[in-house]
């Protein structure tokens, strides 16, 4: 038996390993299974190129938990190691790897989010074990070796009588890590990290019911047998060629990824590049809601089928983090901090590749089946609008297929929309004005009024609309947006509906003075307009500019614009008979009541009447009708 000291500069490396990776102890299993997988695939390669005479067969990796003995076994049928190789790969290389790792990262413990994302390798076993045994038989014709190490830099290496090819790692679980002896704990880790690894992984057994043989008696009981419980799918959909997959396969894989998800994805994008970087994967567009934050971080990042993380920030462009699916790339450097990652050339290329693929896919859906695309628009628009805002390259492409739903049920591209309205909706500066509503119900009376005038109203209701509008106004020439209840609508050049005023100029002055004595000046600017006699008598609009500034402020703007006062316009239709009644009312109390009531009705329709004022309004209304 050989004894020795592992050549290492940091004497107490094991306590360090434990300390540094405190929150990520669980990755030991991923590391050891990765090694077992590597060993198996290496053997496969050697047999294929004729460098090994071993019978490759149908190798599996087995994980066994021995709760009583406080041990975990990880057994593979890979290429194994000779005693010399154990010396070299375990004592020297693996150890220097671990050592290097610690040297490099002991300064950066705070950045713990990334620590679990790269291999500390074999020695991560010591995060949970007080003693590790390695029994290994090489595929070469040499005796098996038995290595043990109890966490000090001392190890022993002796011969062993193992005859079947492969490696068994035995972890003697430390007192503070006994949780790892629970089946459900190990089972959970295996599904988290190893669900799609390329070599079959067995964890325990399960019962399987056999189908009844043909012509079996009616009362025959089906036979159950005990079979290996294989926890992984070694050939997940993303590793296959798109041509070999049907729509059903993509949906099936989505269910495999998100078993708790009942809703089917709307469509998928198969990623597949091998130059200048390697990347495969499948992204899914789920049905999205307007809540951006809660839908993030569902994309899983893999490296050669080993799960790494579900935080793809910096790798996938921000606006696409609402999608779901898998990205697998060996070319993403994970052993660096996030900010460094974003500066990495490969990672930048990956992000722009993904952006391009998504844009192309959307474009081809739009081109090949517009009806279908329109039907799905509301469920995916948040990603597209967000992307148009944040990625100039994406804007260029998406501008051609982004849709603007109108209140009369059409879905128009921007070009179609502006063509449709350019003759009817122009303002005094000659700009084409896109009228929009952010809430069909709340702004119903305004939409109705605009539609009655023959205007088209676009429905823009995502939370980022104010930003998107600003973007479109800067990108497009001669376009301006106005919300239906905003004051811009007054700037539209009126055509046939230009009305002649029923009131004389003198009467107008009297009316305005009467209104202004009741309506609070600091909140409302009174504006008389000669509209059709059946148009609303009183209507509140908010200066477009002011409302936008406020919205921007709410959606994450800083306080640079200060706090905005609440300012509104009160548009009074001087041709309405109610307004003439107010003008002609002699009783000042009655006159005041009429004005108050009318103002409150206008506020009510804008959703501005709440609290005590609402109560007063209701009481006043009862008084008036009794
Ligand atoms: P890495 O996997 O990055 O090379 P590790 O520390 O995980 O680093 O492993 C060090 C080396 O030990 C491996 O490169 C391999 O040569 C050897 N090794 C580890 N586990 C096994 C195993 N199960 N079968 C054969 N060789 C192994
Ligand atoms: Mg390894």
């Amino acid at each position: 038996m050989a004894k020795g000291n592992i050549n290492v500069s940091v004497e107490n490396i094991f306590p360090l390993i434990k300390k540094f990776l405190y929150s990520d102890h669980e990755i030991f299993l991923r590391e050891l299974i990765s090694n077992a997988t590597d060993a198996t695939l290496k053997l496969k390669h050697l047999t294929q190129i004729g460098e090994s005479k071993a019978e490759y067969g149908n190798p599996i990796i087995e994980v066994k938990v021995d709760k009583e003995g406080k041990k975990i076994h990880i057994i593979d049928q890979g290429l194994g190691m000779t005693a010399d190789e154990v010396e070299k790969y375990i004592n020297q290389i693996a150890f220097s790897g671990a050592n290097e790792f610690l040297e490099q990262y002991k300064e950066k413990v705070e950045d713990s989010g990334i620590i679990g994302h790269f291999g500390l390798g074999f020695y991560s076993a010591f995060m949970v074990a007080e003693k590790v045994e390695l029994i290994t038989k090489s595929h070469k014709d040499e005796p098996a070796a038995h290595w043990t190490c109890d966490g000090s830099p001392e190890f022993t290496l002796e011969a062993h009588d193992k005859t079947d090819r492969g490696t068994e790692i035995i972890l003697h679980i430390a007192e503070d890590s006994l949780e790892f002896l629970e089946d459900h704990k190990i089972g959970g880790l295996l599904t988290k990290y190893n669900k799609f690894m390329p070599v079959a992984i067995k964890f325990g057994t399960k019962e399987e019911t056999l189908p009844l043989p043909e012509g079996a008696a009616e009362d025959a009981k089906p036979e159950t047998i005990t079979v290996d419980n294989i926890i992984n799918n070694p050939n997940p959909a993303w590793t296959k060629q798109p041509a070999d997959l049907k729509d059903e396969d993509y949906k099936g894989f989505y269910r495999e990824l998100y078993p708790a998800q009942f809703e089917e994805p709307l469509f998928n994008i198969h990623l597949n590049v091998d130059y200048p970087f390697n990347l495969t994967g499948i992204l899914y567009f789920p049905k999205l809601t307007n809540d951006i934050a809660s839908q993030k971080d569902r994309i899983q990042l893999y490296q050669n089928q080993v799960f790494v993380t579900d935080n793809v920030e910096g790798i996938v462009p921000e606006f696409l983090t609402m999608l779901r699916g898998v990205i697998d790339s060996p070319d993403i450097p994970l052993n660096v901090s996030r900010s460094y990652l974003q500066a990495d050339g490969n990672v930048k290329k990956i992000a722009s590749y993904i952006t391009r693929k998504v844009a192309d896919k959307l474009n081809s859906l739009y081109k090949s089946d517009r009806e279908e695309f329109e039907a799905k628009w509301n469920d995916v628009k948040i990603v597209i609008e967000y992307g148009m805002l944040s990625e100039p390259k994406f804007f260029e492409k998406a501008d051609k297929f982004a849709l603007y739903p109108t209140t009369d049920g059409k879905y128009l591209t921007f070009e179609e929309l502006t063509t449709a309205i350019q003759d009817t909706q122009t303002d005094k500066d000659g700009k084409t004005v896109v009228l929009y509503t952010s809430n069909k119900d709340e702004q119903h009376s305004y939409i109705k009024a605009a539609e009655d005038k023959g205007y088209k109203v676009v429905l823009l209701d995502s939370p980022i609309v104010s930003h998107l509008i600003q973007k479109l106004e800067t990108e497009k020439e001669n376009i301006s947006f106005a919300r239906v209840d905003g004051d811009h609508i007054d700037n539209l050049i009126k055509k046939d509906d230009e009305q002649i005023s029923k009131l004389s100029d003198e009467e107008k002055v009297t009316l305005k003075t009467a209104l202004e004595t009741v309506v609070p000046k600091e909140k409302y600017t009174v504006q008389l307009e000669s509209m059709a006699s059946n148009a609303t008598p009183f209507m509140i609009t908010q200066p477009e500019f002011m409302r936008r500034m406020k919205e921007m402020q709410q959606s994450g703007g800083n306080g640079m614009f200060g706090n905005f006062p609440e300012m509104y316009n009160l548009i009074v239709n001087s041709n309405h008979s109610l307004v003439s009644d107010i003008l002609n009312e002699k009783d000042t109390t009655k006159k005041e009541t009429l004005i108050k009531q009318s103002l409150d009705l206008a506020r009510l329709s804008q959703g501005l009447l709440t609290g005590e004022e609402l109560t007063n309004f209701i009481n006043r209304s009862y008084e008036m009708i009794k």
Side-chain angles (χ1 to χ4, degrees):
M1 163 164 121
K3 267 191 166 190
N5 259 305
I6 295 162
N7 181 18
V8 54
S9 55
V10 189
E11 275 275 304
N12 49 355
I13 191 162
F14 299 110
L16 275 176
I17 287 175
K18 283 194 112 141
K19 191 166 146 253
F20 277 108
L21 295 159
Y22 191 73
S23 62
D24 269 324
H25 280 181
E26 60 181 44
I27 61 147
F28 80 93
L29 190 61
R30 180 190 72 185
E31 290 300 326
L32 297 178
I33 291 183
S34 293
N35 285 349
T37 304
D38 290 347
T40 309
L41 295 178
K42 276 181 202 161
L43 180 69
K44 183 181 190 180
H45 181 70
L46 290 180
T47 54
Q48 277 168 349
I49 61 171
E51 299 240 320
S52 173
K53 288 187 218 34
E55 185 65 50
Y56 182 67
N58 230 335
I60 60 165
I61 294 164
E62 182 172 7
V63 179
K64 280 200 280 202
V65 176
D66 169 4
K67 201 170 171 180
E68 266 97 82
K70 295 185 184 170
K71 285 184 285 188
I72 296 175
H73 301 250
I74 295 137
I75 306 152
D76 69 58
Q77 295 154 17
L79 86 176
M81 284 178 275
T82 63
D84 284 351
E85 285 166 341
V86 173
E87 271 281 358
K88 187 169 163 205
Y89 296 128
I90 298 297
N91 289 340
Q92 292 168 30
I93 294 183
F95 212 99
S96 64
N99 205 11
E100 206 176 282
F101 163 85
L102 286 171
E103 278 301 310
Q104 207 173 343
Y105 293 102
K106 63 185 168 197
E107 315 286 280
K108 299 188 187 162
V109 197
E110 317 85 69
D111 209 354
S112 57
I114 56 150
I115 276 183
H117 299 159
F118 51 96
L120 177 55
F122 175 75
Y123 278 94
S124 62
F126 288 99
M127 294 195 297
V128 297
E130 57 190 18
K131 180 172 141 190
V132 176
E133 289 181 71
L134 180 146
I135 303 164
T136 180
K137 166 82 179 77
S138 169
H139 67 113
K140 297 173 201 159
D141 190 17
E142 278 194 49
H146 183 187
W147 177 94
T148 54
C149 184
D150 65 1
S152 71
E154 268 175 28
F155 68 91
T156 63
L157 184 59
E158 54 194 325
H160 192 276
D161 56 9
K162 179 178 167 73
T163 52
D164 43 346
R165 179 198 72 221
T167 302
E168 172 166 4
I169 311 274
I170 305 166
L171 306 177
H172 297 260
I173 299 300
E175 283 302 314
D176 62 1
S177 299
L178 296 179
E179 55 178 309
F180 292 107
L181 293 170
E182 301 298 332
D183 278 355
H184 69 88
K185 178 83 184 177
I186 296 297
L189 292 180
L190 290 172
T191 16
K192 175 171 175 189
Y193 291 108
N194 309 297
K195 199 172 170 184
F196 299 115
M197 288 195 68
V199 176
I201 300 163
K202 173 188 170 184
F203 182 52
T205 54
K206 62 178 180 190
E207 302 287 296
E208 218 171 65
T209 309
L210 291 179
L212 283 173
E214 242 174 276
E218 253 180 53
D219 58 350
K221 287 229 165 66
E223 204 184 330
T224 53
I225 52 160
T226 307
V227 293
D228 288 352
N229 177 33
I230 302 296
I231 60 95
N232 58 331
N233 168 6
N235 303 301
W238 84 82
T239 62
K240 297 176 185 167
Q241 288 303 315
D244 297 335
L245 294 165
K246 295 193 185 65
D247 197 42
E248 240 336 289
D249 299 320
Y250 285 108
K251 286 184 177 150
F253 181 58
Y254 186 80
R255 281 191 294 274
E256 232 181 297
L257 276 179
Y258 309 102
Q261 194 68 44
F262 296 112
E263 207 126 30
E264 289 207 328
L266 298 171
F267 42 84
N268 62 267
I269 299 161
H270 201 126
L271 307 168
N272 199 343
V273 232
D274 49 23
Y275 184 83
F277 51 84
N278 255 294
L279 182 130
T280 49
I282 299 174
L283 292 180
Y284 292 93
F285 265 81
K287 220 175 147 125
L288 292 165
T289 66
N290 278 345
D291 180 8
I292 297 179
S294 76
Q295 303 178 95
K296 283 184 162 184
D297 289 342
R298 305 281 181 82
I299 297 177
Q300 302 180 358
L301 178 65
Y302 286 76
Q303 263 188 6
N304 296 322
Q305 294 174 240
V306 185
F307 173 81
V308 182
T309 174
D310 50 16
N311 177 359
V312 292
E313 183 194 331
I315 298 159
V316 170
E318 171 81 11
F319 78 100
L320 294 176
T321 54
M322 280 181 277
L323 302 190
R324 299 203 182 139
V326 168
I327 288 174
D328 189 338
S329 173
D331 292 337
I332 297 171
L334 289 159
N335 52 345
V336 296
S337 72
R338 290 274 162 189
S339 51
Y340 198 89
L341 193 65
Q342 270 150 339
D344 184 270
N346 254 348
V347 174
K348 273 194 187 148
K349 279 187 208 131
I350 288 175
S352 70
Y353 165 78
I354 295 174
T355 307
R356 183 158 44 82
K357 279 295 266 197
V358 171
D360 291 349
K361 175 78 182 192
L362 290 167
N363 192 39
S364 80
L365 285 170
Y366 161 76
K367 285 227 167 103
S368 65
D369 192 346
R370 170 130 180 195
E371 215 173 301
E372 179 78 6
F373 189 72
E374 288 181 3
K376 286 174 175 167
W377 175 256
N378 284 316
D379 295 325
V380 301
K381 65 175 181 214
I382 183 85
V383 171
I384 300 173
E385 291 172 352
Y386 196 10
M388 288 172 77
L389 265 181
S390 52
E391 303 280 329
K393 284 234 173 75
F394 188 77
F395 182 93
E396 256 170 56
K397 296 201 170 190
D399 191 31
K400 300 196 179 62
F401 57 74
L403 297 177
Y404 299 82
T406 58
T407 50
D408 57 355
K410 299 203 167 66
Y411 288 80
L412 305 176
T413 63
F414 200 78
E415 203 186 312
E416 290 164 351
L417 174 70
T418 43
T419 314
I421 62 174
Q422 66 194 3
D423 293 331
T424 45
Q425 288 170 228
T426 344
D427 68 6
K428 290 162 187 140
D429 308 327
K431 283 193 177 175
T432 303
V433 180
V434 179
L435 286 179
Y436 72 98
T437 169
S438 58
N439 189 320
K440 247 169 133 173
D441 295 326
E442 276 172 23
Q443 292 149 16
H444 181 262
S445 59
Y446 298 90
I447 297 172
K448 184 96 195 1
E451 282 175 345
D452 285 349
K453 288 183 184 164
Y455 297 149
K456 252 193 196 321
V457 181
V458 175
L459 180 62
L460 295 177
D461 59 1
S462 22
I464 49 173
V465 148
S466 49
H467 300 271
L468 181 66
I469 284 172
Q470 204 156 63
K471 172 90 182 163
L472 288 164
E473 282 176 342
T474 26
E475 292 292 325
K476 308 276 181 188
E477 262 167 53
N478 261 332
I479 292 286
S480 103
F481 279 75
R483 205 165 91 171
V484 270
D485 58 345
D487 62 349
H488 269 49
I489 193 167
D490 311 328
N491 295 336
L492 284 180
I493 292 171
K494 298 190 182 77
K495 293 234 159 99
D496 340 323
D497 65 340
E498 191 87 60
Q499 296 283 328
I500 297 170
S501 178
K502 284 187 192 162
L503 303 185
S504 69
D505 285 353
E506 208 175 309
E507 283 173 316
K508 278 187 185 164
V509 175
T510 322
L511 175 65
K512 204 163 180 215
T513 319
L515 291 167
E516 281 173 345
T517 48
V518 182
V519 175
K521 270 199 282 300
E522 64 289 353
K523 256 192 162 170
Y524 300 97
T525 313
V526 176
Q527 241 171 279
L528 297 188
E529 294 228 7
S530 322
M531 296 189 256
S533 57
N534 60 351
T536 339
F538 283 71
M539 186 148 126
I540 290 171
T541 62
Q542 191 176 19
E544 179 77 15
F545 167 78
M546 209 167 271
R547 202 203 58 251
R548 273 195 214 179
M549 282 305 176
K550 253 191 215 157
E551 280 171 0
M552 300 267 235
Q553 220 173 19
Q554 277 160 8
S555 62
N558 50 28
M560 70 186 281
F561 303 108
N563 267 329
F564 284 103
E566 298 274 330
M567 274 303 289
Y568 301 96
N569 300 323
L570 178 66
I571 315 280
V572 178
N573 178 6
S574 56
N575 286 348
H576 197 281
S577 59
L578 172 65
V579 179
S580 331
D581 289 353
I582 292 175
L583 176 67
N584 300 325
E585 181 56 61
K586 295 282 171 310
D587 179 337
T588 44
T589 328
K590 258 198 180 158
K591 199 184 191 104
E592 198 182 310
T593 312
L594 282 174
I595 297 173
K596 272 195 182 151
Q597 193 71 0
S598 307
L599 173 65
D600 280 356
L601 281 166
R603 294 168 77 196
L604 193 66
S605 91
Q606 180 65 299
L608 290 170
L609 202 59
T610 54
E612 197 182 342
E613 291 178 314
L614 181 59
T615 313
N616 290 344
F617 165 77
I618 290 168
N619 289 339
R620 197 182 329 116
S621 303
Y622 283 132
E623 277 307 311
M624 287 174 83
I625 59 171
K626 84 174 179 207

